[in-house]
Amino acid sequence: MPHNPRFALTPGEPAGIGPDLCLLLARQQHRHPLICIASRALMQTRALQLGLAINLIEVGPAAWPQQPAAAGSLYVWDTPLGAPVETGQLNGANAVYVLQTLTRAAQGCLDGHFAGLVTCPVHKGIINEAGIAFSGHTEFLADLTGTPQVVMMLATHGLRVALVTTHLPLKDVAGAITAERLLKVTRILHADLRDKFGIAKPRILVCGLNPHAGEGGHLGREEIEVIEPALQQLREEGMDLIGPLPADTLFTPKHLEHCDAVLAMYHDQGLPVLKYKGFGAAVNVTLGLPIVRTSVDHGTALDLAGTGRIDSGSLQVALETAYQMVRRPVAG
């Protein structure tokens, strides 16, 4: 890792608040060079709309900066839009642009130009409506980096929640909870808590799938037939795993105060609790990738784009988390 590593920043959906967040972040100087991969024209227009005097400095592979930009400045790797942007109005013509910014950022990490990637929110619906199958950053980056299994984890002060399944319809979740998936996801979570967060012996609480964790088989048998056998195999590998526990009582101080992460079976089982606890000050982390990737914990907020009535706290947390993950020593 270079003495002063560079980080890539993608604004996500161009009509949303992502560009605004990047510009707000540029009002202060950061510890490391931060490269915003975006349309320079878009960033310039949005800065004028917000009344921000931000100096946009064009950079690229031919000449990467070695030092952080001064306060009030932002490094931009100019990436052309597919169509002009109307703030707050989605346009499928820019779906390819959004994915191009992500591709440039991730490939730059793989090639060693960037130490990590920080992402602002994309709009999955408009990308799919443009005819491009897209289920989210997590899955896209896994495919781009050739990673067979990744794990989505959100974190805020005092709570980390990782997911066994991510963006699936609820009717498909039970069938996706297999022993193979549980083994892979839990091993990735355990390894990255050690290697990227410096936790020597992670303790992980595991949610059951069904109400009351199946209530001894009366409310479902996934806990008995799939989850518990997988957890027992992992315990024999030396992991400290508690569960499966009923999700309605797991998220209480009695359980959480002595754990390093919670493993939830599906998206809306664990994330509502985390977002209630830390919305606006939480970070989304993709575990298992060969690169560091963090993100904000919220959506595109089209109605707030260009208004200046937004909080950049989650992006700041995402950036600080990326710094920490890159510099974190491997736990002993």
Side-chain angles (χ1 to χ4, degrees), residues 101-182:
T101 64
L102 287 174
T103 300
R104 281 185 163 187
Q107 190 61 51
C109 290
L110 292 172
D111 293 342
H113 300 307
F114 310 124
L117 163 61
V118 180
T119 62
C120 292
V122 296
H123 194 286
K124 293 188 283 289
I126 195 64
I127 296 174
N128 282 282
E129 288 174 21
I132 304 170
F134 182 84
S135 55
H137 275 113
T138 302
E139 298 83 357
F140 180 83
L141 292 171
D143 184 61
L144 190 148
T145 59
T147 307
Q149 181 72 58
V150 294
V151 176
M152 179 178 175
M153 183 178 80
L154 269 73
T156 190
H157 179 70
L159 181 62
R160 299 182 184 95
V161 177
L163 303 176
V164 177
T165 63
T166 53
H167 301 116
L168 286 180
L170 192 57
K171 66 181 179 61
D172 297 334
V173 169
I177 305 295
T178 63
E180 181 182 18
R181 182 188 287 259
L182 273 168

Side-chain angles (χ1 to χ4, degrees), residues 52-77:
L52 296 175
I54 303 295
N55 179 30
L56 302 175
I57 305 169
E58 193 165 339
V59 298
W64 293 120
Q66 302 302 313
Q67 299 298 326
S73 298
L74 181 64
Y75 293 128
V76 178
W77 183 3

